[in-house]
């Protein structure tokens, strides 16, 4: 391999089904070979024969810096969902080992791509008007791939480890338009249907998604801009989708007053056109600061869970310190599932109160935290997490979040 890429190898990782211990007799062997030097990427395929059996070996050679950077980008196969995929380090240069010895490879979710969803529906409408049946099928398939990323803010956080798992999770989103699964399968071409049926399914997907994501207009604004978010709230997007859905030359129907779907308040359910799927995880209402948030599912050991004293929104403060020096690095929040993931993966995992999703420290920045120990305080309402910190703990680039000294003017304490 050194001769093939003509640059020093700094690490070799096993990925895919073999790393997940889910391989079958027909599974490929997927390797990442990380090299030093300037940006570089290449893929080689080998057919290795042993004991009369041929195995396909896929080798992706990539420079180590761009490989680490790629962990901060969404995976293009994950339907917009965040990824946690197991990996096994087979060998590494000692200098790079702390950066690439990762039990799981984490990639963030895509932002909600509402603008692309609407634009793709427009492309399908244009193809339909031109009687371009193939164009309609291509457009609605793209639309179905975008839909889970747009619905993600309204749904509980989920992480996937493979394309198959991502597909299954995308189909089973609990907060989704009526008939969502059947329409997704139809648009993706996995169920037979005429062009008109595909078009109707695409319209249902988009029209049904809008009321579900209306409470998350602020998050949409960060990605698509303030005007599109305002159009989501004031009904212009609904009217635009209805306009696309009308056959050419058909006069628009009289406008009816829209009944807006309010942003869900913590602890409350909101009536939306999704049978048996309450919308949860909305922003807290400041007038109701103690309203309990519905519990997120967790695999935490019940014996540990019983010792926790949580805040009204189900969280426990996590104080993070450097294992070697004891220096306090940061404070974050964990719920039961975040603590479970921290204890079982060895990667510090927290709950974001603003984004309402789990996040793994270093997944986007490369400043990973490898957990050495976790302790619970005497009251059960705070955790002490000791980590090996790679790079800066603070998002500002400082080693610690506690870099601003305040003046202490009290008289010096005396024994």
């Amino acid at each position: 391999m050194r001769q093939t890429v003509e640059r020093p190898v700094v690490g070799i990782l096993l990925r895919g089904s073999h790393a997940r211990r889910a391989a079958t007799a027909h599974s490929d062997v997927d390797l990442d070979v990380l090299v030093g030097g300037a940006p570089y990427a290449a893929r080689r395929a080998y057919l290795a024969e042993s004991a009369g059996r041929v195995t396909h070996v896929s080798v992706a050679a990539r420079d180590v810096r761009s490989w680490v950077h790629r962990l901060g980008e969404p995976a293009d196969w994950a339907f917009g969902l965040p990824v946690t995929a197991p990996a096994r380090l087979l060998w590494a240069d000692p200098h790079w080992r702390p950066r690439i010895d990762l039990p799981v490879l984490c990639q963030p979710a895509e932002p909600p791509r509402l603008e692309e969803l609407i634009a793709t529906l427009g492309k399908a409408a244009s193809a339909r008007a031109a009687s371009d049946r193939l164009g309609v099928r291509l457009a609605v398939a793209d639309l179905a791939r975008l839909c889970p990323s747009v619905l993600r803010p309204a749904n509980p956080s989920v992480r996937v480890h493979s394309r198959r798992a991502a597909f299954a999770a995308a189909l089973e989103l609990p907060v989704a338009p009526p008939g969502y699964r059947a329409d997704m399968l139809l648009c993706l071409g996995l169920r037979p249907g005429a062009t008109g049926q595909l078009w109707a399914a695409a319209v249902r997907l988009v029209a049904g998604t809008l009321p579900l994501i209306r409470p998350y207009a602020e998050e949409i604004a960060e990605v698509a801009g303030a005007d599109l978010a305002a159009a989501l709230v004031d009904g212009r997007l609904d009217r635009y989708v209805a306009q696309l859905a009308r056959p050419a030359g058909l006069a628009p129907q009289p406008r009816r007053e829209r009944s807006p779907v309010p942003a869900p308040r913590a602890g409350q359910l909101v009536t939306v056109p999704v049978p048996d799927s309450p919308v949860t995880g909305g922003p807290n209402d400041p007038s109701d600061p103690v309203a309990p948030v519905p519990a997120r599912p967790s695999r935490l050991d019940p014996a540990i869970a019983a010792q926790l004293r949580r805040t009204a929104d189900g969280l426990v403060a996590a104080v993070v310190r450097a294992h070697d020096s004891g220096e306090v690095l940061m404070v974050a929040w964990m719920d039961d599932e975040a603590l479970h993931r921290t204890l079982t993966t060895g990667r510090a995992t927290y709950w974001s109160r603003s984004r309402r999703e789990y996040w793994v420290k270093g997944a986007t920045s490369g400043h990973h935290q490898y957990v050495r120990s976790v302790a619970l305080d005497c009251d059960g309402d705070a955790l002490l997490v000791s980590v090996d910190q790679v790079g800066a703990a603070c998002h500002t680039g400082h080693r610690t979040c506690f870099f601003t000294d305040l003046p202490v003017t009290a008289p010096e304490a005396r024994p």
Side-chain angles (χ1 to χ4, degrees):
M1 178 55 61
R2 290 175 182 271
Q3 294 178 353
T4 301
V5 300
E6 298 180 350
R7 57 190 71 207
V9 176
V10 300
I12 302 174
L13 290 98
L14 177 67
R15 298 184 300 102
S17 57
H18 284 278
R20 298 195 306 272
R21 292 182 169 84
T24 71
H26 307 289
S27 296
D28 300 340
V29 177
D30 297 303
L31 297 173
D32 274 359
V33 176
L34 308 182
V35 299
Y40 170 87
R43 183 174 290 277
R44 297 287 188 271
Y46 302 90
L47 292 177
E49 189 167 7
S50 176
R53 184 170 186 82
V54 180
T55 301
H56 174 216
V57 181
S58 178
V59 180
R62 180 182 296 274
D63 73 282
V64 64
R65 288 178 174 81
S66 70
W67 183 87
V68 171
H69 177 75
R70 189 182 62 166
L71 296 181
E73 300 175 346
D76 57 8
W77 47 263
F79 288 86
L81 302 175
V83 172
T84 301
R88 291 179 59 192
L89 184 66
L90 303 180
W91 176 87
D93 177 271
H95 173 75
W96 278 99
R97 179 177 289 274
R99 296 285 300 277
I100 64 176
D101 189 5
L102 308 175
V104 292
L105 304 181
C106 297
Q107 292 180 262
E110 276 188 338
R113 298 170 61 184
L114 178 60
E115 181 179 9
E116 290 92 334
L117 185 74
I118 298 298
T120 305
L121 184 64
K123 292 178 181 177
S126 297
R128 177 170 174 260
S131 298
D132 180 3
R133 290 181 292 179
L134 181 58
V136 171
R137 291 180 180 273
L138 290 173
V140 300
D142 290 340
L143 183 148
R145 295 186 186 96
L146 289 167
C147 206
S149 80
V150 180
L151 285 167
R152 187 183 57 80
N155 279 275
S157 181
V158 61
R159 285 188 172 271
V160 298
H161 57 75
S162 67
R163 186 178 184 184
R164 178 65 180 85
F167 179 56
L171 289 180
E172 299 300 333
L173 294 179
V175 180
Y180 167 77
R181 179 186 175 91
D183 286 341
M184 285 283 288
L185 291 172
L186 191 58
C187 288
L188 290 169
L190 298 176
R191 280 188 177 175
T195 306
Q197 292 175 304
L198 269 69
W199 165 249
V203 172
R204 285 193 298 267
L205 284 174
V206 178
T209 292
L210 296 182
L212 301 180
I213 64 169
R214 193 166 286 124
Y216 307 93
E218 290 186 5
E219 186 172 343
I220 299 293
E222 294 177 2
V223 179
D227 185 72
L228 190 66
L232 174 63
V233 173
D234 64 26
R236 278 178 289 153
L237 268 183
D238 300 79
R239 296 194 295 277
Y240 180 63
V241 171
Q243 174 182 298
L244 291 176
R246 286 195 301 269
L250 186 64
Q253 298 296 315
R255 179 180 172 183
R256 297 179 179 179
E257 290 299 321
R258 179 179 57 84
S259 175
V261 178
R265 189 166 65 177
Q268 294 183 334
L269 302 181
V270 174
T271 302
V272 293
V274 186
D276 302 322
S277 298
V279 177
T280 62
N284 290 335
D285 186 332
S287 68
D288 189 13
V290 296
V293 167
R296 291 173 285 274
S298 174
R299 296 160 291 171
L300 182 65
D301 184 339
I304 297 175
Q307 302 178 60
L308 300 180
R309 291 184 59 189
R310 305 163 189 82
T311 64
D313 46 358
L315 303 176
V316 174
V319 180
V320 185
R321 70 175 179 181
H323 177 74
D324 53 357
S325 66
E327 178 185 21
V328 177
L329 300 175
M330 56 179 278
V331 176
W333 295 94
M334 291 185 183
D335 67 356
D336 289 31
E337 178 62 14
L339 177 57
H340 167 76
R341 298 183 188 187
T342 298
L343 295 173
T344 56
T345 68
R347 297 288 301 281
T349 304
Y350 307 104
W351 174 256
S352 171
R353 294 177 296 173
S354 59
R355 299 191 305 272
R356 306 204 63 78
E357 67 178 12
Y358 296 103
W359 60 282
V360 179
K361 179 66 177 177
T364 58
S365 65
H367 297 164
H368 304 286
Q369 290 177 347
Y370 300 100
V371 178
R372 299 292 295 271
S373 67
V374 179
L376 183 64
D377 86 331
C378 57
D379 293 323
D381 58 2
L383 297 161
L384 181 62
V385 184
S386 297
V387 303
D388 289 331
Q389 176 71 51
V390 176
C394 183
H395 72 282
T396 63
H398 289 78
R399 164 72 177 174
T400 171
C401 293
F402 299 94
F403 56 85
T404 303
D405 291 327
L406 302 178
V408 178
T409 58
E412 182 179 351
R414 297 182 181 277

